[in-house]
Each structure stands twice: as C-alpha cells, then as structure tokens.
Amino acid sequence: MQTKSDGKWTLCSEIRGLRSTIDGLLTGEEYSFRISAVNETGKSEPKLLGEAVVVNDDTMEPIIDLICNSFSVKAGDDLKIDVPFRSRPEPEVSWNKDGVELKETARVSFLTSNNSSKITIRNTTREESGNYEITLTNTVGRKSAIIAVTILDKPGPPGAIKVDEVYADYISLSWDAPLYDGGCPISNYLVEKRDIITTTWKTVSATVARTSIKVPRLTQGTEYQFRIAAENRYGMSHAVESASVVAQYPFETPGPPTTLHVAQATKSFMLVTWNEPASDGGSPIIGYHLEMKDYSSIRWTKTNRGRLIAETEFKVNGVEESLQYEFRVSAENIAGIGPYSKATEPIAARDPCDPPANLTVTDITRTSISLTWSKPENDGGAKVTGYIVERRELPDGCWLKCNFTNLQETCYDIEGLTEDIQYDFRVIAKNSAAVLSEPSQCTGAITVKDNVVLPCIVLDNKYKKLVIVKAGDVLRIDADVSGCPRPVISWSKDGQSIETKARIEITSTHTTTTLLVRDTIRRDSGQYTVTVQNIAGTRSLSVNCKVLDRPGPSSGPLDITGLTAEKCTLTWGPPQENGGAEILRYIVEKCETSRVTWTSVHEDVKATTCKVTSLRKGNEYIFRVKAVNEYGEGEALESEPTKATDPFTVPAAPTDVEITSISSETMTICWKRPESDGGSSISGYVIEKREKSGLRWVQVNTKPVNDLRVKASNLCEGCEYEYRVYAENVAGLSPPSIPCKLTKAEDPQFLPSAPAKPKVIDSTKTSVTLSWNKPLFDGGAAVTGYCVEYKRTDEEDWCVSVSNTENTEFTVVGLTSGAEYVFVVKSINRIGVSEPSPPTDPQAAEDREEEPQFNISNEMRKTLLVKDGTSFTLTVPFSGKPVPNVMWDKADVDLTARASIHTTDTVTSITVEQATRDDSGKYTVTLQNVAGKVTCTLNVRVLDSPGPPCRVAVKDVTKSSATVAWDTPENEGGAAVTNYLVDIREVSNKGWTRVTDSCPRLTYRVSDLQEGGVYYFRVTGENQYGIGLPAETKYGAMITEKPSPPQTIEVTEITKESVSLSWIKPENDGGSRITSYRVDALENGQDKWVKCGVTKTVHFVVYDLKEATQYFFRVRAENHAGFSDPTEMALPVLVKGQLEPPEMNMNKFPDNIVYVRAGSNLKCQIPLTGKPAPKISLSKDDVVLKSTMRFNSEVTPEYLIISLRESAATDSGRYDICASNTSGASRSFVTIVVLDRPGAPVGPIGMSEVTEDSVSLTWLPPRYDGGSPVTNYIIMKRETTNADWTEVSSVVVKCAMKIMKLITGLVYQFRIRAENRYGISEYVDSATVKVDLNYTVPESPSPPIVTSVTRESIAVAWTEPDWNGGRPLIGYHLQMKDKNSILWQTVNKTVIRATHFKVTNVIIAGLIYEFKVAAENSAGCSPLSKISDAVLAIDACEPPTNVRITHIRKTSIRLEWLKPSYDGGSKVTGYLIEKKEGERDRWTKANLTNVSDTHYTVTDLDECAVYEFRVVAKNAAGSVSDPSATAGPAMCVDTDAYEED
C-alpha cells in the first residue's frame, strides 16, 4: 500500500486467499493498494487495485437476500425460516405476522446473527398460515420482506348451505368453498341427509367435486336436513348443517275463487257460478270443490260428492223450497286444496220472479222519457221490493242502468237523454229474496224529442160551486190532467203552496191528481187552486171551500186598560176565523193565578170591550174572552197575568242629602227630589238624624216638610251629626236616602244662599213683576236685601234693575215691548252678595194670559143618578184667556159616537140618550189654552140590574161536593146586589140546572156531585132593579181531591248557579191527572219560600242561584183540585260549581268508524260527560260545520247525537269533534263511511309496453271506495272502428293488467270500472292506442374499460347505449379473446343486467386480453362495441404509501414515500410523480426520467404557488399501481427546515 502523503510502497499482508482485511490504517488518510501474485518461481509484477481509497467507516442500507418468499409445512411439524441479509452497521430485526408483531413464546423462537435472522415455530397449526414480514432497520435505512407461509392441514368447513330449488322429490343445494382450504385444493365434498324425525345421517354423495348438488329421490312432504363436509389430501373438515326444508312442490295451493254467486235459483235447483282464482299458486287448477249449507245451520255439506268440478259452474239439485242457502267454493291444484271463497249471500230456493208487464211510454221530452208498467203476475214467492230500469241507444248500444237507487214505484222518469237519438227501454223486477226477474218486453225504438201539448185540467161540476164541509169531515178534490210533456202539478191554498202533512195528502199520476184533507178544521176554509204547467203553458182551476166550525180565538192581544186595585177594562178584536157563521156574542171570564177555576164576568157581551169590576187589591188575575157562533164557543184568548193594584207606589229615596248651613245649635239640611214619585205627588219629607256615637235614628221634624231643605235645631255644640231623608206620598214612605257625611255643630258665617227661582206674577208691555221667597240659609247673618238683575234672551250681558231692596217682590220697568227676558235675584247679608238664583223661565214683555178654570158649584160635583132607559145632560161653565179648547173623555168609551157634545166660549155640555148600566162612570172634561190646562171629573150612576159577578171560581172540591165563590159585579146597576142565583151543568150537557135561586152570600156549596165528573157553574146577581147578567166558570171543575205529595226529591246536578232536581210521582193523584208540579226554594237562614217555576215533568232545573249559598227545595203536585202538600228536602243543598272536563267514550265505535248506507239516515249517539254541560264544535276538513236540515248535532245530558239525513258519498270523511267547558276541552273524531258503489278509477289510464299484440294498462284506485274495499276491476276494450265494447276481464284485482291477443295494426280504446259489494262504478276511458312494434335493436354500448385486474380475474365496465331502440334494455353480452388469437368467446352464460362484469375462471395469468360488448332489448342484440384496450392478466401493484413533503423552497419541494406493501409479484422498477397546481383539476407529470428511489425533489415550481402531489408505482411486469394518497397542499416559500443533501 502507499499513502498519499508518502510515495513509498509498503507490504501490508501476505495471504493465500483472494480476500484480505487491512488493519491499522489511519482514519482520513488516502491509500492506494496493489497486489502481486507469488509462486515458487517468484513474484509477479504488481497490479494497482482501482482508485485511491480514503479510510472511513463503511455504511450500507440493509439488503435482504431472500431465496424463496413462500414456505409450506404440514400441520404439527416445525416451521423454520432463515433469512440472510447484508447491512452495515448491523440492523435491528423485527418479525410480524399479518400486521401483528411476533414475540418469543414456548413455541416461537428467533435467532439473529450479523448476516441472517431465523424464526422457528414448533408444532404448527393452521392458525400459523399467513404472511410473515421481516423488517431490518439501521441508521442508513429500513428494508422489509414478506414471506407467505402455508400450513398443510385438512380444510375448514364449507360456507352456509343455500337451498336453490325445492320440489316434491328433489332439492338443489349450493354452498361456498371453505375459507381455508388446508393449503391444497379441495378434492371433493361429502353430502349427507337425514329425516328431521330421526338422528341417523345418510350419505347422498361422497364424491361431489363442485359446490352444488341436486339431491334426488326424496319423499314428498317429508322435512329434511342436510350437512356437507369438505375433503382434501390431508383429511375431512368439520360439517356444516342446513336449516330444515320440506320436500314439496315449488308452488302453493291456489287462492280462493272469485265472484261466487247464484246465477239462477228455483224452488228445486240452484245454478252456482264463479271465476278462477286470482292466483293458481303456480300450478294449473285441476278442479273445484263446492259446499253448501242452510242459512240457519253451521254445517257445510259438499255438493260434488268427491268428484272434482272441472267447470266454473255447478247445478245444485235437491234444495228445499223457501229455504235460504249459502255456498262457498275452493280450487285444487297439484299442491292441494286452496282456501274457500267467501260465502254467498243467503239465497232462497224460489222460482224466479216474472218480468214486469205492460211497459208503456207516457211522456217524451227532448231530454227525458216517462215510463209506467204493471207489477209482475208472479213475484217468485217473495214480495217485489224494487225495479231496475235499463236503456240502450239504437241500433248497437249496450244496456245501461238508469236508476242507481231502489225504485219501488211502477213509474220512472229517465232524464239526461240526447235529443233526436233513438232509445230502447226495459224493466227488471227484484223481490225481497234478492231475485231478479228476466227483463220485460222492450218498448221498441223511441225517439227523444219534444211533443208539445198545452196542459188541461178537467174538474167535476160539483166543484164549480162553493164546497161546504163540516169540521172533522174529509175534503176531497179530484181533477183529471193532461198535456205533453207531462205537466208539473202543484196545489195551493189562498196563494200559498200546499205541502203534504199528516192531514193533507196529494196524490198525482200521469192523468189524475187528488187533494185529500182529513179531519178538516176552520183554517181549511179558502180557495184551493190546482196548477199544471209544461213548456207549452200553464193552466189553473180553483175550488172554493168553506168549513163550518166554531169560531177561532179573538184577535189579540187582550189589552187591559184603566187598571186600578178594584177594576179594569178589557179590549180585544173579533176572531179572524168566524167558523163560517156570524159571531153572536162574547163570553168574558177571569181567574186568579192562585186558583184554577174561572169566574164569569159577562156571558153576553156584544161589543169587543168589557169593564171588569170587583177586583181584589193585590190579587193577580188572568182574563179570557171566547167568541160564540151558532156552532158553539170558540177558542179562548187569554191575557197576560195582571195584578190588581193602584197605578202608583211609594216614591224613590231622595238623593244628594247635604248640609248647607251650620251653627252651634242648628244645621240646614238640603236634598234633591226623588227620581220617581211612585205615580203620586210627594206630600212631604221626613228627616232623621243620628249622632256619631249613637245607634238610633231620631226624627227631626214632627210634621212632613214640603220644601227641599229643613233646619234642625236644639243641637249639642261640638257633636257630629248625620242626616237621612224619606219622601212620602199617599202610598207611604220611601226607602231612606243615603245618609250625608258626619258634620260637627258649630257657628260658621257664609254668604247667604241664593233665593229660590223667582216667579213672574204679572207682566205688561214695558214691565215684569217678580216675587220670590227668602233664602233658606242666611249664611249665619241676617239677609239685609236683594239685588234684581235681568237680560234679554238674545244678549249675554246682565243689567241691574235694583241693587238692594228689602222686599221679596219687585217690578222691573223700562222693558222693550215684545222682547223676551230672564230674571235672577241675589241675597245680600253683611258678608256679601250670594250667587244668583235660578233664572226665571223666559218671559216676554206683553200683556199676561189667564189660565182656564171651571165655574161650577159643589152641587154639580155630586154623583148624578139616572134611571135605566132615560137621558141625561151634564153642563159645565168655564173661563180662560184665550178661549180654551174643550175635550170630553170617558174610559173605554168613544163619547163622540155614544153622546152628543155642545160647546160655546163659556159653556160645554154632553147629552147621553137611553142610558144603560155601561154609561155609569166618570166623565172627564179638560180645558186647555196657551196659559195652561185644567181637568174636572163628574160622576154618573145609571140605575139598572147588576152586571155579571166577578171571578166565579170553584174551591174546596171534595169527592162529592164543591164550593162556588164569586165577587160582587163590577157594575151593580146603581143598587146593592141582594141575591144570587146559582146554576150547574155537566161538561157533556149544554143545558143549565138551577141549584138555588136564593143565595145572599158570595159562596155556595153544591153537594151530591159525581166523583170524577166535570161541572161548569153559573152565577147571576139580582138587585132591586132586576136579575142581571150571568157569569160562569171558565173551565170545568173536576170533582176530585188534591193529590198526595211527590216522593223522594233528589238532586241530580249542581253548578255554580243552578241545581237540577228530580222526584217520583205522587202515590195518589186524587182522582184526576197531575197537571203540573210547582218547585219552591228557601235560602238557608231565610223564612220565605220563593217560587222557582212550574213543570209538567218530574225533573226541573233551578237557575239564578247564589254561588256558595245553601238552599232548601220543596215540590208540590197539582191536579184539578189544587196543590198537594209539599215534599221538602231534609238537608240544604250547597250551590257550587261541579267541574268535570268533557269526555267522549268512543269504545262502541271500533276505530271511530260509523257506517251508513247511501241514501239512509244516520243517528250516531256518542256517550258524553262533563260539568258544566260541554259545548260542541264539529268540523270537517278544518271547516267548522253549522247545523242544517240534513246535518245537525244535539247535546243531551248523556249523549252527543249526530244526525245525518239522506247520506251521500260526499258525506264520507273524518269529522273532528271538540267538546269544551270551563273545566277543559276534549277532542276526538268520528269517521263516517257511506256505503255505496265506488267512484270511477282515477285516470288517466297509463299505457306502456305496447307490442304487436299486447298493451300493459295501469290506473289508480278510485278516490272513493264506497266504504267497502274494491273487490275487482272490469276491463273492456273496443276497436275504434266499432262502437261495441267487449269484456276483457272482470276479475282484475290489481291496478295493472297486460291485455293480450290484440290484432297488430288496429287502434284500440280501453274502459275500466271498479266494483265493490255495493255495485259497479262509473267508467274511465283510455286514450286510443295503436298496437304495433315501435322499437328496434339498441345502439352499441361504449368500448369496455378495464377497472381492475389480477392474475385470476379482470373487471370491465361500459356505459349504456345513447339510444335503447325504443324499448328498455334487457341486458348485455360480453366477449373476450387473447390478443394473439382471432377467436372471440362469450364470457357470460346469462344476460348481464349491470354495466360491469368480473371475468373469472377463464383468465390465464400472463396473457393479454381484449373485450367488446353488445346490448340487448326486446327487438334483439345491438352491434358489438369497439374493442377495449389490451390488458395483461397479472396482479396489480399497490400504490406507494406515506407520501409526504419533507422540504420546501421557493421553486422546489422535496417528497418522500414508502414502497408499495405489495409489488404485484414483480419487483418495483420505478415511480411516477404527478403534481396539480392550485384549484386546477388536471394532474401533470413532475419527473421526465425514471425514479427508482423513494424520494424526489420537484423543481421549476412557481414561487408562492400552491401544489399537491401523488406518486404511482410501476413493477417489472409493467403493472402500474393506482395513485397514492395526495400530499399537500403546500406553498413554495423558503423554510429553515431545508438543508442541502
């Protein structure tokens, strides 16, 4: 060797081999070496060994020298793997298995030297199979290698067993190969079976090479289980067992047949028909089984006696006449007998009903036809319940229903027809056994057009005169009518339309009309008019009718005038209905409200007014009037209850009591007049005082005070007093006023109060004289004078007439004549001037007017006595300026008609001729002029027989007697009544019987009466001038006793202001019907019972009670004899609100649904509770419903009642119910389902998959199913060249159907109807469609693209053709070939449904393949696509991992990554680096030469630009991996982290 610093060569070593290590060198020194060979002859020339070497430590990245990368070992043997390597410095070694680090155990050991690592695993098992990875790491780098280890063992169990096909005698099975094959191929599979009821397994086959098998020779219906084990050269795997499976046909028993019905029924046989089941279970139907049973039986009997019925109809013989039968049918196929259909409705074994006869057209218009017919001669043993009318258009129309509701009459109007179209009509009868007759004989061709004939009415001659009918008889008017079109008939009375009621019946046919009025009454009198009308015109005829009867009630109201405590005057109008005869007289009666009997006032009143006297003060009366004609007494007109009281009461209390003047001993108290004087002028006031410390009120004045103020004296100085005031009139003292506030008695001094309002006592054209009173209050100082002021009414300023005058009278002079003035007066004391008095009324400066006055003597004011039948005159002198107007008046009498009145400027007189008792009374004369008004009353008494007694009543009724009581007549005829005559009659008799003619008292007891009889009583007064007018009881008196008291009064409900009571009827009604009950209440702590009301039922609700107050209640029963003793409650009732929120109980309505047939009425009662009674709100579709004649709701104490009349399909839906009270609210709903035929299916009808002989139809179910599920759809078709519809199918269950066997080239239209148990819907028609082939083969798909490749499989994909040929694609066909071959082979055995496919089992590793694909639709396959790119069948290399950015500069970025985990079976030869700048989508290459290292610096980048990077690996076989994960983004800027490599 030779050093660089020394040129001398020195001997380093002598060796015999070809390798030597030189020791003892200096680090950092550069050495050159040379070598010479030496033999026995000598040394050769030296040879220089390469270049000079600098002595430094030598480092090297680990290198694994793997001889083999896969090992196989038999299970149980030891596994030993020795891996040589090279590395400097010596590396750290680690072992992993399937990503998990291995550690030394009793079975696993490692041995590592400086150039190799060895792993030993003892007693290997299959779990040791897998990929083992050795990793070497030193300071230079890291290296890994993967070694595949296979443990040779028996395989794992196969995958789960799948049952692919099941039949009656074989089952096809398949399974997946074991996940672990034991390190060698599966040689075969062992398949075993066993019956599920045994435990013994039988071998099916032990040599199955594939993963599927067909197990034959099985027993039908037996349940089997299978197990399968895999076998290789090392043994048999564990077996996997299948689920149990029954060996049976792959189809089910058929479904139930449809549309089962009795097509024909007689008394000896029935013909039953049905349709095939909607599903045959997958196997053809081989026959049917039909069963029947009596409707009242539960046992079904077979009718076909073991023989299968091949057809879909069967004739059942041997039925018993009139019995009802039900039928059901089931279908049978190879799999067995299916379920039975629904049973038919019960059908009676009766002969069919005959068709209707004599079908006749009675009327024709341009849109309608009227038909009539006769009932069938033979109804089939059951009553005919309705008819079906059908029509068809001629010549080729089909028969259509005209009526969709039951028709019970033998006539019908068909509307909605088309003008000038010919129709044919027929009628079918239906009886109560639901049997339809054959159609009647057709009418023949009928053309729909107007045939106009003027309507005509023909009446019998007897109707041309006045028709007289007695009350209670029947009024009948018959008329014959004619006209075309058939006229509309209407009846009216006195211009008002007549409606059919309980008594009135209108019957009309095509030719006649009849009006029938039963039980005629007086109101039936009048003019009856029958009117017939059609488009040709109108005709009317009238019939006058008179009903003879008692008169109606008098015209009301029954007015009561001139009411006092003793008398009143009644006024009424004549009856509006006189009963066909003249009113002869009126009967006037009265009754006290506390009694039940009526007393006659006058029996023979000719006028419509009557004076009632002898009233009792404070009693309440009811009056009534009855008109009388020759047919009897009419109905009574009653007045309102009226109390006999004077027209005045005590006044109201005075108001605004205040103290206006105070001294140490006196106080002046002022007040205002009461708001009401009670109808009588106030006579004075009473004042009371009370000291602050006292409890008793002390009267201040001993005599009534007439002024509005008073002075209280003798007060104690310093004491406080309060005062109250009473007003007094003839009725008595008013309530006290509100006391004034407490005031202390002390001496104040004030201005005096103003004088009272001055009075004008005289006036001239230039002066006015005033007078006034001293002020009530002098202010504590004497009044020294008065100041008088005046002003014109049209001016604002006041003028002082005198500033101080001591008099209380003064004349203001110097006024303008005719001008109008007002005057005030002020009081003056030493304190000053008071406020002005109230101004006088406006007074004109003119001469004064005189008020009128009477100039009569005291003798004229006495009562004038006049004898009956004579005349009398009243003369009254008077005076006044100007001359007053004179008016004469007498209560309830028009004096201008009854008397003669004569008046001059100074005298007025009135003369009455032929005086009667009615002329007695007060005559009032009134004088009035501009100065005033004055009235004078003169009394006249006419001496005559007395008027009728008052208030005739029956009292003290017993079982055999009654007491008649009355009052003296209001008009005694000018002399006292000295005697009374009493008469009696039974209610059934018209004649009166005299009981007594000598009765001086006002009562009389009548005995020996019949118990339970009803009697009327009459009383007549007598005085010195004769026998007067009679008065009778208004109502008949029943001879009976009072009832016993009601029983057990109970409280049923309490609210905060009411109490509901109930009780039990009395045990004894006293011999007459209980007419009413009276309920009284007594507040706890009070002693007066208050009447609450009267009711005819045994329950009553008492309202307007005080909350939180206790009440007692009592009930009395009333009959004709009067009230019973009361039944009282033992304990008081506390009035308080009982709160209970509303609650609706819907338990009896499953799913809250209520069903009703269309056209029927619905009454739904929903239990409802709540206190207080809830209020109900009903809504539908969020719209609040209001009560109508058809739909309304009612709330009772127990139920909410919803009523619906004549229900229709539109009434179906959900009805929301809201019940609310003060305690809360409750919501619920009820769904009303109207059972009807369904609506039409919802269109439009969809048409698809149109071929040369078929069309697929789709539609939507009806929006309204009629409340019953749609059972089937009826499909019809027609060619557009033909108007006839042909039925395609009537048993379609789904909303789709494929119509087959159509003729190519024809245009079709389709019609669909829905059917449920209540009928067939209207139809929906489709658009027209031409049946033809309108599609071709599709275009070619895109060329296939290889998406993934391995050495055993290749996955390819493609896109659909741009055009599918007009039909949906069925699938694709894929072809492939070796690139070096010319033969293409089809890859797929079945059509490929997707646009991708994975090719397996035919790929040979290392070959290059090409692919092409074709699409297929119903027309065929498309041309093949273009050929794909060639692809090599090798395992793909995996992408690099852990790509990262390590250094960044302004124009460069350094990347590092790890090698791929799997190199695809070939060594990785290089890498491709790609970059993407910013937001761009395009990746570009970053390296132009091959990069073999796992790092690379990308240069020529833009400063501050943002980049992303990815790396692709490539192996020696040419396989390129997928791109790695993206690194970045990163911005190109200088960083301190970068160092020069």
Side-chain angles (χ1 to χ4, degrees), residues 1087-1108:
D1087 55 0
K1088 183 179 180 181
W1089 288 91
V1090 178
K1091 179 182 177 181
C1092 299
V1094 177
T1095 179
K1096 294 183 178 181
T1097 62
V1098 291
H1099 48 79
F1100 187 77
V1101 181
V1102 183
Y1103 293 100
D1104 300 327
L1105 300 178
K1106 299 177 183 177
E1107 189 173 6

Side-chain angles (χ1 to χ4, degrees), residues 1414-1433:
E1416 181 183 1
N1417 66 3
S1418 300
C1421 291
S1422 72
L1424 288 166
S1425 67
K1426 293 182 180 180
I1427 301 173
S1428 69
D1429 294 334
V1431 59
L1432 177 63

Side-chain angles (χ1 to χ4, degrees), residues 8-212:
K8 184 178 179 182
W9 288 90
T10 60
L11 180 62
C12 301
S13 175
E14 291 182 355
I15 57 173
R16 293 184 178 273
L18 299 177
R19 186 184 183 98
S20 176
T21 299
I22 310 301
D23 298 322
L25 301 180
L26 298 175
T27 300
E29 185 67 30
E30 184 174 320
Y31 293 87
S32 298
F33 298 88
R34 65 183 182 183
I35 187 170
S36 299
V38 178
N39 60 8
E40 293 178 354
T41 304
K43 181 188 298 187
S44 68
E45 290 292 325
K47 178 178 178 59
L48 191 64
L49 295 177
E51 299 177 353
V53 176
V54 178
V55 178
N56 281 314
D57 287 337
D58 188 12
T59 61
M60 180 177 62
E61 186 180 32
I63 297 174
I64 300 173
D65 298 323
L66 193 62
I67 301 172
C68 179
N69 61 357
S70 62
F71 289 83
S72 297
V73 63
K74 191 174 182 181
D77 294 346
D78 295 342
L79 171 64
K80 296 180 180 180
I81 303 174
D82 191 2
V83 180
F85 60 81
R86 289 175 287 136
S87 175
R88 188 172 296 167
E90 186 175 337
E92 292 182 3
V93 180
S94 63
W95 286 86
N96 293 316
K97 175 181 179 293
D98 297 331
V100 179
E101 183 180 1
L102 292 176
K103 296 181 179 180
E104 283 197 4
T105 64
R107 294 177 56 243
V108 180
S109 62
F110 303 96
L111 180 60
T112 302
S113 64
N114 58 356
N115 59 1
S116 68
S117 179
K118 181 178 181 181
I119 180 172
T120 302
I121 301 176
R122 301 175 182 85
N123 300 323
T124 55
T125 63
R126 68 176 62 180
E127 283 72 26
E128 270 69 57
S129 295
N131 292 325
Y132 289 74
E133 182 182 16
I134 182 172
T135 302
L136 306 179
T137 305
N138 65 7
T139 57
V140 179
R142 180 178 179 182
K143 185 69 71 175
S144 299
I146 296 176
I147 302 161
V149 176
T150 301
I151 305 300
L152 303 175
D153 195 3
K154 60 183 181 181
I161 301 174
K162 297 184 285 293
V163 179
D164 298 327
E165 186 177 5
V166 180
Y167 213 74
D169 57 350
Y170 71 84
I171 294 176
S172 294
L173 306 174
S174 65
W175 59 91
D176 295 326
L179 296 176
Y180 176 69
D181 61 1
C184 63
I186 303 297
S187 59
N188 61 280
Y189 295 90
L190 172 64
V191 181
E192 295 175 301
K193 69 177 181 181
R194 75 176 179 92
D195 190 338
I196 199 68
I197 63 176
T198 68
T199 57
T200 303
W201 291 91
K202 297 181 181 179
T203 300
V204 176
S205 177
T207 59
V208 179
R210 294 176 299 182
T211 57
S212 62

Side-chain angles (χ1 to χ4, degrees), residues 346-573:
I347 302 296
R350 297 187 180 95
D351 285 336
C353 179
D354 288 347
N358 303 325
L359 180 60
T360 306
V361 177
T362 60
D363 188 27
I364 305 175
T365 70
R366 60 182 177 180
T367 60
S368 66
I369 285 181
S370 299
L371 302 177
T372 61
W373 59 88
S374 303
K375 293 183 178 180
E377 293 183 5
N378 177 24
D379 58 9
K383 182 180 178 181
V384 174
T385 58
Y387 300 92
I388 299 173
V389 182
E390 296 183 336
R391 74 169 188 266
R392 66 177 179 132
E393 291 187 17
L394 296 178
D396 300 321
C398 59
W399 287 101
L400 301 175
K401 256 188 178 183
C402 297
N403 61 311
F404 294 98
T405 59
N406 190 39
L407 176 62
Q408 297 180 345
E409 295 82 9
T410 56
C411 59
Y412 188 65
D413 295 334
I414 305 170
E415 299 179 345
L417 304 179
T418 305
E419 189 174 5
D420 294 329
I421 299 296
Q422 283 191 331
Y423 291 90
D424 198 2
F425 301 91
R426 67 185 186 186
V427 181
I428 300 170
K430 181 180 180 182
N431 63 16
S432 59
V435 175
L436 298 178
S437 71
E438 292 295 322
S440 68
Q441 187 176 358
C442 297
T443 60
I446 303 295
T447 302
V448 179
K449 61 181 181 180
D450 282 334
N451 185 15
V452 180
V453 176
L454 187 69
C456 178
I457 306 173
V458 178
L459 288 172
D460 194 278
N461 290 332
K462 66 180 180 180
Y463 297 117
K464 295 181 180 178
K465 300 179 182 179
L466 178 65
V467 179
I468 298 177
V469 181
K470 287 187 177 181
D473 291 347
V474 177
L475 171 63
R476 182 188 180 102
I477 304 176
D478 297 313
D480 296 329
V481 297
S482 61
C484 191
R486 190 179 72 190
V488 177
I489 303 171
S490 61
W491 286 86
S492 62
K493 176 181 177 291
D494 300 332
Q496 300 294 322
S497 178
I498 299 176
E499 296 181 358
T500 300
K501 297 180 181 177
R503 294 189 308 107
I504 301 175
E505 179 181 342
I506 298 175
T507 305
S508 300
T509 66
H510 294 282
T511 58
T512 64
T513 181
T514 301
L515 172 66
L516 197 67
V517 182
R518 298 183 178 87
D519 301 327
T520 52
I521 57 178
R522 72 176 72 87
R523 286 196 298 271
D524 296 327
S525 298
Q527 185 180 68
Y528 290 84
T529 303
V530 57
T531 303
V532 292
Q533 181 180 11
N534 64 8
I535 59 175
T538 303
R539 184 70 184 274
S540 299
L541 284 181
S542 299
V543 177
N544 293 318
C545 175
K546 185 175 183 181
V547 179
L548 303 179
D549 196 3
R550 297 178 302 168
S554 301
S555 299
L558 182 55
D559 292 329
I560 301 174
T561 58
L563 178 66
T564 68
E566 297 177 351
K567 61 184 179 179
C568 67
T569 301
L570 306 181
T571 307
W572 63 93

Side-chain angles (χ1 to χ4, degrees), residues 248-255 279-285 331-339:
Q248 58 186 2
Y249 290 103
F251 37 77
E252 300 175 349
T253 58
S279 171
D280 61 4
S283 175
I285 303 297
E332 182 178 356
N333 63 5
I334 297 177
I337 300 174

Side-chain angles (χ1 to χ4, degrees), residues 1391-1411:
V1391 173
I1392 302 171
R1393 301 293 182 182
T1395 55
H1396 55 83
F1397 190 76
K1398 186 174 184 180
V1399 183
T1400 59
N1401 299 329
V1402 295
I1403 301 298
I1404 300 174
L1407 293 184
I1408 300 175
Y1409 292 93
E1410 295 174 333
F1411 299 90

Side-chain angles (χ1 to χ4, degrees), residues 796-1000:
E796 297 294 329
D797 296 329
W798 290 88
C799 299
V800 176
S801 178
V802 60
S803 58
N804 193 341
T805 178
E806 297 179 356
N807 300 322
T808 57
E809 186 174 316
F810 184 77
T811 299
V812 181
V813 298
L815 303 179
T816 303
S817 178
E820 196 172 56
Y821 294 85
V822 291
F823 305 86
V824 296
V825 179
K826 299 179 181 178
S827 303
I828 303 173
N829 67 2
R830 65 184 184 86
I831 302 300
V833 180
S834 71
E835 291 294 321
S837 67
T840 64
D841 295 328
Q843 174 66 44
E846 58 188 9
D847 292 333
R848 189 168 179 79
E849 297 172 344
E850 292 183 5
E851 293 184 359
Q853 63 181 2
F854 292 100
N855 302 320
I856 59 176
S857 63
N858 293 332
E859 188 65 27
M860 290 186 63
R861 296 183 185 274
K862 295 181 180 179
T863 300
L864 176 65
L865 299 179
V866 181
K867 193 172 182 180
D868 176 37
T870 62
S871 302
F872 66 88
T873 300
L874 300 175
T875 303
V876 179
F878 60 87
S879 62
K881 293 182 181 181
V883 176
N885 183 31
V886 180
M887 292 170 289
W888 284 89
D889 182 60
K890 184 178 184 293
D892 303 327
V893 177
D894 184 4
L895 294 179
T896 60
R898 179 71 183 95
S900 298
I901 300 173
H902 180 70
T903 303
T904 66
D905 289 346
T906 59
V907 175
T908 181
S909 64
I910 182 170
T911 301
V912 178
E913 303 290 341
Q914 296 180 352
T916 67
R917 70 171 67 87
D918 293 332
D919 295 322
S920 298
K922 294 181 179 181
Y923 291 77
T924 302
V925 59
T926 302
L927 306 177
Q928 183 176 10
N929 63 8
V930 296
K933 179 179 179 181
V934 65
T935 301
C936 179
T937 301
L938 302 177
N939 294 318
V940 176
R941 183 188 300 170
V942 179
L943 303 179
D944 195 2
S945 61
C950 298
R951 296 177 288 281
V952 180
V954 179
K955 62 181 181 178
D956 298 335
V957 180
T958 67
K959 293 183 179 180
S960 60
S961 65
T963 299
V964 184
W966 59 90
D967 289 335
T968 57
E970 292 182 356
N971 189 340
E972 294 184 308
V977 177
T978 59
N979 185 43
Y980 293 94
L981 292 78
V982 180
D983 299 329
I984 187 173
R985 73 175 176 88
E986 293 187 22
V987 68
S988 58
N989 296 332
K990 295 295 183 179
W992 291 93
T993 302
R994 179 64 50 85
V995 176
T996 181
D997 55 3
S998 177
C999 180

